[in-house]
Amino acid sequence: VIKPHVTTFIPPGTKATIQLDFDDMEFGYLKGYLGDQVAPIPPQVFDISLFESSLKDASVAFVQPSLSLDFGNEYGTNCEVTFTRLEATKPGSSLPFQLNPTSPVNLNKPATMGSSAATHVDVANEHAVLNFGPEHFEYEGSIRINKGLSDAVNFLTDTSKLNIKLTTEIPIYGRVSGIVKRDTMEIDFGDIDDAKINSSSLTISASNEMPLDAYVQIYLADSTHQILDSLFATNETYIVKASSVDGSGDLVSPGVSAVKFGLDPERVDKLFESKYLILKAKMNTAKDANGTALNVKFRAEYRLKLHIGLLAQFKVTLK
């Protein structure tokens, strides 16, 4: 609404340019031509927690993953999004996304004020991105409205937003090597005197529903969790056998194993000095008869049951 003012004559063949500046304006909506403008998308970083713990140093290959971008546009304008950076990252390396359709992406616009229009964009190299084992997804870029237009009917409200959602669906189906898991168990031998032990051995039995082989090392630690010794002479020992799976990667039967290790007197002494057993396991997915890693499925109900016991012969003096 232009308020009455002193008449201004514009001679034929000329044009008038009017610039309106708004300061601290409170409004419900704007409607009209908003111009051909560019606004930046500030840098955004998303943490991918899946790869920050157990899978941090693992080699993974997922089957049937899905990765996509979804835009929700509440502005009644023609919008074009250009990504100057859109990539998966981890320390020392990165992998760019390949979009379908490619950047710049033209967004759908809502037909009426107060509604939202959705635009779906697939990530064409989703397998490579997720198998890369990223710790972060990062992006930045710009949005251009009314590209190449000198006139249009645009609208926006005081609550209008442009939402960008990155959606990742990872069925736990695939193969992996180098998963590292740790656990700590408290031990207490009570009043047993290790000097009265003639011989001893450690027994470990496992029932494993997960399709993972495990190479294990057990460390002896004092009350401050300082390592005193390890139980196995080699770095890691194959103890836990993977479950059997069918051609679709589903569980057929759990892997059952039982092993027994003799303990020399020096390790027995260290064992009795210890307050904790720290178990470290490096796990890999099951393999076929030719040693090739299989694509397997992990389900929430799968369990690994591990039992550790000490067998000892004592010197007993009867009076």
Side-chain angles (χ1 to χ4, degrees):
V1 177
I2 307 298
K3 295 181 179 180
H5 58 286
V6 177
T7 301
T8 301
F9 293 97
I10 303 174
T14 64
K15 69 176 183 178
T17 299
I18 301 173
Q19 180 175 330
L20 300 178
D21 293 321
F22 300 98
D23 233 354
D24 297 326
M25 182 179 64
E26 294 184 7
F27 66 95
Y29 71 90
L30 293 176
K31 189 173 183 179
Y33 176 58
L34 299 178
D36 183 342
Q37 301 187 57
V38 178
I41 300 176
Q44 301 287 331
V45 179
F46 298 94
D47 292 333
I48 311 300
S49 59
L50 174 66
F51 298 97
E52 290 183 343
S53 52
S54 300
L55 300 184
K56 184 174 183 179
D57 298 314
S59 172
V60 296
F62 292 109
V63 179
Q64 301 170 353
S66 174
L67 186 61
S68 62
L69 286 172
D70 290 282
F71 299 84
N73 180 23
E74 298 176 2
Y75 292 95
T77 64
N78 295 305
C79 292
E80 180 186 82
V81 176
T82 301
F83 289 103
T84 55
R85 184 163 63 102
L86 177 59
E87 58 191 10
T89 63
K90 60 184 179 182
S93 59
S94 62
L95 181 66
F97 285 31
Q98 297 173 10
L99 299 182
N100 181 25
T102 58
S103 176
V105 178
N106 290 310
L107 303 185
N108 297 320
K109 63 179 180 179
T112 58
M113 200 175 300
S115 60
S116 179
T119 303
H120 179 81
V121 178
D122 289 316
V123 177
N125 62 336
E126 56 194 7
H127 286 80
V129 168
L130 294 172
N131 292 342
F132 174 68
E135 293 187 13
H136 304 95
F137 289 150
E138 304 183 26
Y139 71 79
E140 63 180 306
S142 63
I143 300 174
R144 185 175 181 181
I145 64 170
N146 295 321
K147 179 181 179 181
L149 299 179
S150 58
D151 189 27
V153 178
N154 307 141
F155 59 80
L156 62 89
T157 70
D158 58 336
T159 59
S160 293
K161 297 181 180 66
L162 174 63
N163 299 307
I164 303 176
K165 181 171 68 173
L166 183 63
T167 303
T168 306
E169 295 180 2
I170 308 176
I172 306 302
Y173 178 26
R175 59 185 182 274
V176 63
S177 62
I179 297 178
V180 176
K181 297 294 289 183
R182 293 176 176 83
D183 198 6
T184 301
M185 295 171 284
E186 190 172 358
I187 56 175
D188 184 1
F189 293 104
D191 297 329
I192 298 176
D193 185 356
D194 62 314
K196 296 180 180 180
I197 297 177
N198 281 336
S199 62
S200 62
S201 59
L202 197 70
T203 63
I204 301 175
S205 62
S207 177
N208 183 22
E209 295 176 343
M210 294 190 293
L212 295 169
D213 289 322
Y215 289 79
V216 177
Q217 179 59 275
I218 298 177
Y219 298 95
L220 307 176
D222 62 18
S223 58
T224 64
H225 293 85
Q226 294 296 311
I227 303 298
L228 302 176
D229 201 351
S230 59
L231 287 183
F232 308 135
T234 57
N235 252 345
E236 293 153 343
T237 301
Y238 177 57
I239 291 178
V240 179
K241 182 181 178 182
S243 62
S244 300
V245 297
D246 59 21
S248 299
D250 290 305
L251 174 66
V252 174
S253 61
V256 177
S257 56
V259 291
K260 181 178 178 181
F261 299 93
L263 297 177
D264 58 44
E266 183 180 351
R267 279 196 171 85
V268 173
D269 291 340
K270 291 286 181 63
L271 181 62
F272 275 78
E273 292 174 21
S274 303
K275 294 297 182 183
Y276 299 98
L277 294 181
I278 300 176
L279 185 145
K280 176 184 177 183
K282 180 178 286 187
M283 296 179 284
N284 313 292
T285 45
K287 298 177 181 177
D288 62 17
N290 298 318
T292 303
L294 299 170
N295 287 321
V296 296
K297 294 177 181 177
F298 297 85
R299 301 190 186 277
E301 64 268 22
Y302 289 174
R303 295 289 183 269
L304 166 60
K305 298 177 182 178
L306 194 65
H307 301 277
I308 301 175
L310 179 67
L311 295 178
Q313 291 183 345
F314 294 91
K315 293 178 287 186
V316 177
T317 302
L318 298 177
K319 296 183 179 179

